[in-house]
């Protein structure tokens, strides 16, 4: 069955409807160069982005000079229960100056006004198998086809129209809403250059065309007459890497023109399919692909194949917004229509950026995660300076946002979020996850120095209180508690999430230091400190406590569920290791949802993953349906609201988590299958240990599974009731007790290339 998003009308393109239409446009991207396709037959728009085009420049030191002498005083006030005074001191002395980092910018849009006078038989699709958007319609009874894609091999957006009758088009490249643009005509095409103020980047948007008609360049772009075929190429480059953006664009355009459209298209499809075709999910149910996708969203409860499409769309978006050598996917991937986007479309690292990469390992897209680790390198010198200037400490830290340039100082003046020095630590836990899925520990070896620097910061930041090492001042993102004194507070000491993140970070540092023969005094110190880090505690409602004290939440249905970080994405909470805490985790989740939790797209996506870890397939299914019906735009992008891409990525990860889990060295097949997914199959998911997994099931029960070991591996496999594992010679298996659901567990040791069949 074809995998595509289909809409029966173009996205609105009128000046007053431009913003509204964006949530109906279709995204294309090559990792760095993005476009939103409106698909209007008569007045088309492609809104443009490039991942290094940000407002302002880097190299700033925004640390408040008063912070170094005040952060410990904040801690003392918190310990004394003087919450208001602590937060007032935080506002005056700890918030950065200025308080804002840089933000992502749009590159404007290109308009194409066609000579067609009317249209009928309209259809607009995004083909997820080829990463090509298409518009099909008739005009005067003649068929017209328009294609759009963003090519990674050739670094251009290509737009191609073919028609059975002659047509003309005016291509307008002028950026009317940007006062800093200048339009010129060069040998390779017309181009806009923008010199941003405040040390911002200089960038170029260049367009050229090939056609069987006549092309004439003018003061706003170019016009085409008497054409049956037209191809427009667009390139965008900035001076972020020190290059001349005009020359780079010209080289891209000239190379594409020399290759020709069919070659550019073929190279694009081959590159994209090399990643997308690694995994294939097929869920049972009626084929409703002939129904417009936005109409299907209204009936998600009776359309299980919609989850299949959402899963594929998330993989498409990750491939399209994060490739090796690009910048990481930001709060909107690479797609942004605004000069001042919501939350700056930055990297929000108290959940959102991390969620962007949750599907990478399990969906066999580990190389799409590499930009995140390259960005950690960019953050390192800034984060070390923040640790020194703000806290007077060694090591590396970042707060809840970073930007293109690696800024690590506090962002905003918002008490529930701003002073939270855990951002780098959370990002660094992705290194261990990446190595587990890919089976390649070289990334950990290359970045062990960064891991050590982050640990070194916490050796100074943690302090002993009641026999435990805790953080402070900090927050439990972005929540507020009610202190016994009656005061409301966000700034606190010892939030549960902090201790869990630091525990994972310390354990990774110790493990890799020993693995690579790089043990030192820090390793020994971390081993000692690890013993004093708090474990999660159960509160008066039977819930996991969010703070060091059993405070009530001011907002019990808060969107963040930070104290369940150990359930997902970590595995500090599990049925195997902490069965009693798993009961408390369920209570925590039920309380959040009973009080209105999950009201944003990304929060609902996180909840899907948590229910999967709790092995509740019914709840997984309910929350996937809620994500689709309440938090998804017509173009399938996540509705925070407004748009944030993390919900798409988190939802894709949650669907995978329902089908396969491999944390704590145990592989479980179909651990949380929604009841409506009675039959289906999946090929190519990845388990930790670099194990490829394919399965089929019917009647809600596993029929067959094949595990292919891509390296020598030792792991435990849960065998479903009534099934057995067939191992070839060279593989060794031994019974290893029962899992918490009473199923047999095999301990398996096998060499690379082994195929294990369960049937």
């Amino acid at each position: 069955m074809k995998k595509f998003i289909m809409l029966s009308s173009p996205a609105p393109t009128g000046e007053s409807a431009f913003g509204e239409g964006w949530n109906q446009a279709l995204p294309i991207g090559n990792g760095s160069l993005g476009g939103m396709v409106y698909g209007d037959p008569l007045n088309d728009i492609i809104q443009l982005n490039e991942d290094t085009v940000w407002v302002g420049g880097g190299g700033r030191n925004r640390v408040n000079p008063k912070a170094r002498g005040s952060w410990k005083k904040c801690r003392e006030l918190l310990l004394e229960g003087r919450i208001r005074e602590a937060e007032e001191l935080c506002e005056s002395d700890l918030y950065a100056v200025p308080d804002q980092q840089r933000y992502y910018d749009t590159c404007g849009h290109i308009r194409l006004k066609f000579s067609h006078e009317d249209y009928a038989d309209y259809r607009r699709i995004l083909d997820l198998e080829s990463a090509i958007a298409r518009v099909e319609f008739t005009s005067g009874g003649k068929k017209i086809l328009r294609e759009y894609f963003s090519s990674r091999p050739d670094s251009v957006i290509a737009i191609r129209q073919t028609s059975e009758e002659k047509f003309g088009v005016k291509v307008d490249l002028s950026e009317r809403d940007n006062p800093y643009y200048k339009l010129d005509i060069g040998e390779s095409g017309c181009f806009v250059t923008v010199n941003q103020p405040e040390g911002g980047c200089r960038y170029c948007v260049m367009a050229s065309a090939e056609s069987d008609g006549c092309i004439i360049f003018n003061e706003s772009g170019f016009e085409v007459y008497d054409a049956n075929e037209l191809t427009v190429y667009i390139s965008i480059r900035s001076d972020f890497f020190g290059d001349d953006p005009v020359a780079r664009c010209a080289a891209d355009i000239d190379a594409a023109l020399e290759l020709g459209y069919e070659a550019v298209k073929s190279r694009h499809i081959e590159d994209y399919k090399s990643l997308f075709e690694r995994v294939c999910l097929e869920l049972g149910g009626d084929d409703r692909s002939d129904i417009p996708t936005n109409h299907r969203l209204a009936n998600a409860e009776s359309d299980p194949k919609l989850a299949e499409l959402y899963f594929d769309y998330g993989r498409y978006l990750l491939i399209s917004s994060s490739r090796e050598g690009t910048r990481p996917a930001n709060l909107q991937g690479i797609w942004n229509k605004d000069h001042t986007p919501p939350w700056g479309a930055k990297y929000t690292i108290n959940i959102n950026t991390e969620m962007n990469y949750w599907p990478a390992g399990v969906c066999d897209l580990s190389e799409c995660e590499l930009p995140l680790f390259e960005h950690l390198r960019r953050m390192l010198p800034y984060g070390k300076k923040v640790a020194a200037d703000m806290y007077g400490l060694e090591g590396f830290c970042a707060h809840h946002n970073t930007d293109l340039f690696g800024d690590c100082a506090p962002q905003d003046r918002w008490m529930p979020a701003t002073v939270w020095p855990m951002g780098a630590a959370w990002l660094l836990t992705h290194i261990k996850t990446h190595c587990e899925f890919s089976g390649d520990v070289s990334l950990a070896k290359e970045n062990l120095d960064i891991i050590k620097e982050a640990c070194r910061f916490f050796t100074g930041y943690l302090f002993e209180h009641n026999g435990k090492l805790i953080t402070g001042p900090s927050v439990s993102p972005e929540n507020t508690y009610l202190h016994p004194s009656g005061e409301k507070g966000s700034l606190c000491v010892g939030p549960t999430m902090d201790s869990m993140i630091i525990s994972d970070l310390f354990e990774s540092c110790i493990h890799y230091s020993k693995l690579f023969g790089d043990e030192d005094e820090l390793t020994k110190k971390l081993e000692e400190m690890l013993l004093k880090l708090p474990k999660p505690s159960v509160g008066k409602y039977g819930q996991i406590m969010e703070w060091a004290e059993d405070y009530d939440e001011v907002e019990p249905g808060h969107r963040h569920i930070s104290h369940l970080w150990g359930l997902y994405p970590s595995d500090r909470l599990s049925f195997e290791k902490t069965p009693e805490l798993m009961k408390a985790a369920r209570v925590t989740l039920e309380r959040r949802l009973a009080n209105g939790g999950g009201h944003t797209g990304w929060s609902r996506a996180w909840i899907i993953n948590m229910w999967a870890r709790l092995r509740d397939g019914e709840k997984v299914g309910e929350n996937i349906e809620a994500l689709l019906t309440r938090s998804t735009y017509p173009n399938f992008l996540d509705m925070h609201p407004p748009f944030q891409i993390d919900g798409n990525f988190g939802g894709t990860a949650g669907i995978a988590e329902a089908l396969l889990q491999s944390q704590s060295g145990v592989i479980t097949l179909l651990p949380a299958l929604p009841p409506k997914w009675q039959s289906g199959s999946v090929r190519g998911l990845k388990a930790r240990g670099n194990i490829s997994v394919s399965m089929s099931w019917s009647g809600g029960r596993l029929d067959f599974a094949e595990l292919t070991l891509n390296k020598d591996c030792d792991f435990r496999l849960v065998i479903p009731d009534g099934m057995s594992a067939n191992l070839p010679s060279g593989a060794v298996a031994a019974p290893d007790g029962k899992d918490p659901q009473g199923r047999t567990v095999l301990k398996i040791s096998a060499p690379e290339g082994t195929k294990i069949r369960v049937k």
Side-chain angles (χ1 to χ4, degrees):
M1 189 189 76
K2 290 288 186 181
K3 298 177 181 289
F4 57 80
I5 291 168
M6 190 262 284
L7 299 165
S8 57
S9 61
T13 58
E15 293 291 346
S16 61
F18 178 68
E20 175 190 351
W22 198 91
N23 293 323
Q24 300 175 45
L26 296 173
I28 56 174
N30 68 358
S32 61
L33 178 58
M36 292 294 286
V37 176
Y38 283 64
D40 189 297
L42 310 181
N43 296 288
D44 204 357
I45 289 177
I46 300 88
Q47 186 267 312
L48 302 170
N49 289 106
E50 200 275 342
D51 68 348
T52 63
V53 175
W54 288 56
V55 172
R60 299 185 302 167
N61 182 359
R62 298 186 303 109
V63 170
N64 191 323
K66 296 184 286 186
R68 187 168 177 174
S70 298
W71 68 274
K72 286 187 178 180
K73 178 61 176 177
C74 278
R75 174 194 290 173
E76 293 170 8
L77 292 170
L78 291 167
L79 290 171
E80 294 169 7
R82 297 157 64 183
I83 309 302
R84 181 181 55 81
E85 292 177 60
E87 294 193 344
E88 287 176 351
L89 182 60
C90 177
E91 288 178 351
S92 66
D93 289 17
L94 271 59
Y95 287 172
V97 184
D99 59 77
Q100 295 294 308
Q101 296 172 348
R102 301 308 193 183
Y103 51 91
Y104 190 46
D105 198 4
T106 176
C107 296
H109 51 274
I110 184 170
R111 289 181 177 269
L112 298 93
K113 183 175 177 59
F114 289 88
S115 60
H116 319 302
E117 295 183 356
D118 55 19
Y119 66 92
D121 307 315
Y122 182 91
R123 190 173 79 144
R124 178 166 55 112
I125 69 169
L126 177 61
D127 186 341
L128 302 179
E129 294 180 294
S130 64
I132 295 176
R134 293 187 177 90
V135 170
E136 302 167 3
F137 59 96
T138 60
S139 180
K142 303 295 185 180
K143 292 182 180 180
I144 298 172
L145 171 65
R146 203 176 296 160
E147 295 183 324
Y148 319 72
F149 61 86
S150 183
S151 165
R152 177 166 174 78
D154 295 305
S155 301
V156 292
I157 288 176
I159 307 165
R160 168 82 159 179
Q161 176 160 303
T162 56
S163 173
E164 294 178 339
E165 66 175 0
K166 298 287 186 180
F167 65 89
V169 58
K170 295 180 179 180
V171 179
D172 185 352
L173 202 64
S174 60
E175 196 173 349
R176 288 179 291 275
D177 61 346
N178 191 328
Y180 303 103
Y181 91 96
K182 179 184 177 184
L183 192 143
D184 292 293
I185 299 173
E187 293 183 2
S188 300
C190 61
F191 60 93
V192 166
T193 52
V194 178
N195 292 282
Q196 292 182 324
E198 300 181 44
C201 69
R202 176 174 183 256
Y203 69 89
C204 171
V205 180
M206 183 176 290
S208 192
E210 56 184 358
S211 175
D212 60 350
C214 176
I215 304 173
I216 300 174
F217 290 94
N218 57 39
E219 68 280 358
S220 63
F222 54 89
E223 296 185 34
V224 180
Y225 301 94
D226 297 324
N228 289 104
E229 298 179 355
L230 167 68
T231 303
V232 176
Y233 295 113
I234 304 167
S235 176
I236 308 176
R237 296 284 188 171
S238 83
D239 62 358
F240 180 72
F241 299 104
D243 302 323
D244 176 7
V246 177
R248 290 286 302 279
C249 283
D252 295 335
I253 296 288
D254 290 346
L257 287 168
E258 184 173 351
L259 279 169
Y261 179 75
E262 291 303 327
V264 171
K265 178 180 174 180
S266 177
R267 284 156 57 89
H268 158 71
I269 293 173
E270 181 181 6
D271 169 75
Y272 171 75
K273 282 190 170 184
S274 69
L275 297 175
F276 186 80
E277 288 188 343
R278 293 176 182 176
V279 173
C280 180
L281 172 64
E282 297 285 350
L283 295 178
D286 297 333
D287 180 2
R288 301 181 182 178
S289 58
D290 60 334
I291 300 174
T293 313
N294 54 315
H295 296 168
R296 292 176 66 187
L297 283 170
N299 300 291
E301 296 89 345
S302 60
D303 189 356
K305 293 189 78 65
L306 206 57
E308 172 192 319
L309 188 62
Y310 197 89
F311 174 80
D312 287 329
Y313 189 55
R315 295 189 300 121
Y316 164 83
L317 291 173
L318 185 56
I319 296 167
S320 301
S321 63
S322 186
R323 297 290 297 273
E324 186 172 1
T326 72
R327 305 312 94 205
N330 64 48
L331 203 59
Q332 296 185 190
I334 53 173
W335 299 282
N336 158 46
K337 64 178 171 53
D338 299 310
H339 290 297
T340 54
W343 303 285
K346 297 189 293 295
Y347 303 107
T348 303
I349 54 178
N350 66 3
I351 176 64
N352 312 96
T353 301
E354 291 88 351
M355 185 178 284
N356 286 357
Y357 290 97
W358 286 354
V362 69
C363 292
D364 199 7
L365 294 173
S366 288
E367 59 265 67
C368 291
E369 200 171 15
L370 295 177
L372 187 65
F373 307 124
E374 182 183 343
H375 191 70
L376 274 161
R377 281 276 166 203
R378 191 175 297 279
M379 292 168 63
L380 181 61
Y382 293 94
K384 291 179 72 173
K385 188 165 181 57
V386 168
D389 292 355
M390 182 170 178
Y391 298 101
L393 298 175
E394 295 182 333
F396 164 41
C397 80
H399 294 80
H400 89 293
N401 269 266
T402 185
D403 61 16
L404 175 69
F405 307 98
D407 194 330
C408 295
Q411 159 73 25
D412 295 328
R413 299 183 59 82
W414 188 38
M415 193 58 63
T418 295
V419 178
W420 183 72
M422 303 298 303
W426 188 349
L427 289 177
L428 284 164
T429 65
H430 280 246
I431 290 177
K432 178 173 178 283
T433 305
H434 177 92
C435 294
E436 287 175 335
F437 278 108
S438 69
D440 181 4
V441 298
S442 62
L443 184 82
K445 189 171 186 178
E446 294 166 5
N447 291 286
L448 182 56
D449 62 322
I450 306 182
I451 296 173
K452 285 190 173 188
E453 290 295 342
C455 290
R456 191 167 285 115
F457 170 77
F458 289 111
T459 62
Y461 188 70
L462 289 165
F463 70 102
E464 189 161 340
H465 179 65
N466 294 334
K468 297 294 183 181
L469 290 172
I470 61 175
T471 60
S474 187
V475 296
S476 184
E478 299 163 359
N479 210 353
T480 302
Y481 60 87
L482 184 64
H483 192 267
S485 67
E487 289 187 90
K488 295 177 182 179
S490 295
L491 205 65
C492 66
V493 296
T496 297
M497 184 191 216
D498 288 11
S499 298
M500 290 191 288
I501 291 175
I502 294 169
S503 294
D504 269 22
L505 181 70
F506 281 12
E507 288 175 359
S508 290
C509 188
I510 293 166
H511 170 73
Y512 289 123
S513 294
K514 291 181 176 181
L515 180 66
F516 303 134
D518 198 9
E519 295 178 78
D520 51 20
E521 289 300 317
L522 176 64
T523 315
K524 296 176 184 177
K525 188 169 187 177
L526 297 182
E527 289 177 322
E528 295 169 359
M529 295 180 71
L530 193 58
L531 299 174
K532 288 190 173 185
L533 290 174
K535 304 294 189 296
S537 299
V538 179
K540 58 192 172 189
Y541 301 110
Q543 88 287 8
I544 300 290
M545 286 168 45
E546 185 162 359
W547 294 276
E549 303 294 332
D550 196 7
Y551 301 137
D552 280 324
E553 307 103 317
V554 171
E555 186 183 344
H558 198 267
R559 60 195 174 277
H560 283 258
I561 316 178
S562 303
H563 42 319
L564 291 190
W565 188 89
L567 177 65
Y568 190 94
S570 179
D571 65 347
R572 304 203 73 78
L573 307 182
S574 71
F575 286 113
E576 290 80 9
K577 296 184 295 189
T578 60
E580 290 304 313
L581 291 179
M582 292 296 275
K583 295 178 183 178
R586 186 180 186 94
V587 170
T588 306
L589 197 50
E590 288 172 340
R591 286 191 76 244
R592 272 289 202 268
L593 286 167
N595 287 281
H599 48 275
T600 64
W602 65 262
S603 180
R604 183 69 65 179
W606 195 358
I607 287 166
I608 293 167
N609 286 276
M610 291 176 181
W611 281 124
R613 286 285 174 91
L614 289 168
R615 308 288 166 83
D616 193 325
E618 185 172 1
K619 292 295 186 184
V620 167
E622 289 174 4
N623 283 275
I624 289 173
E625 290 172 2
L627 181 67
L628 290 166
T629 57
R630 302 176 198 170
S631 298
T632 302
Y633 283 115
N635 60 6
F636 248 47
L637 288 178
D638 172 68
M639 184 193 308
H640 176 278
F643 163 57
Q644 285 184 194
I645 204 166
D646 37 36
N648 288 105
F649 294 133
T652 294
I655 292 167
E657 200 72 17
L659 301 173
L660 175 68
Q661 293 180 25
S662 59
Q663 61 274 16
S664 305
V666 181
I667 295 177
T668 307
L669 310 173
L670 303 183
L673 189 70
K676 292 181 182 179
W677 299 0
Q678 281 292 295
S679 63
S681 65
V682 66
R683 169 184 54 79
L685 289 180
K686 272 287 189 77
R688 289 169 176 84
N690 195 11
I691 300 171
S692 300
V693 179
S694 297
M695 297 177 281
S696 61
W697 65 92
S698 60
R701 292 178 57 84
L702 184 71
D703 292 329
F704 173 80
E706 182 177 85
L707 287 75
T708 302
L709 277 60
N710 301 305
K711 60 171 290 185
D712 297 352
C713 205
D714 297 311
F715 63 97
R716 296 163 68 213
L717 175 65
V718 177
I719 304 297
D721 294 337
M723 305 188 79
S724 60
N726 296 329
L727 281 73
S729 59
V732 178
D736 194 35
K738 301 286 186 178
D739 81 333
Q741 284 73 43
R743 296 169 296 189
T744 300
V745 179
L746 291 181
K747 188 175 183 180
I748 298 174
S749 180
E752 180 181 347
T754 297
K755 291 185 182 295
I756 299 169
R757 293 179 173 85
V758 178
K759 59 183 180 179

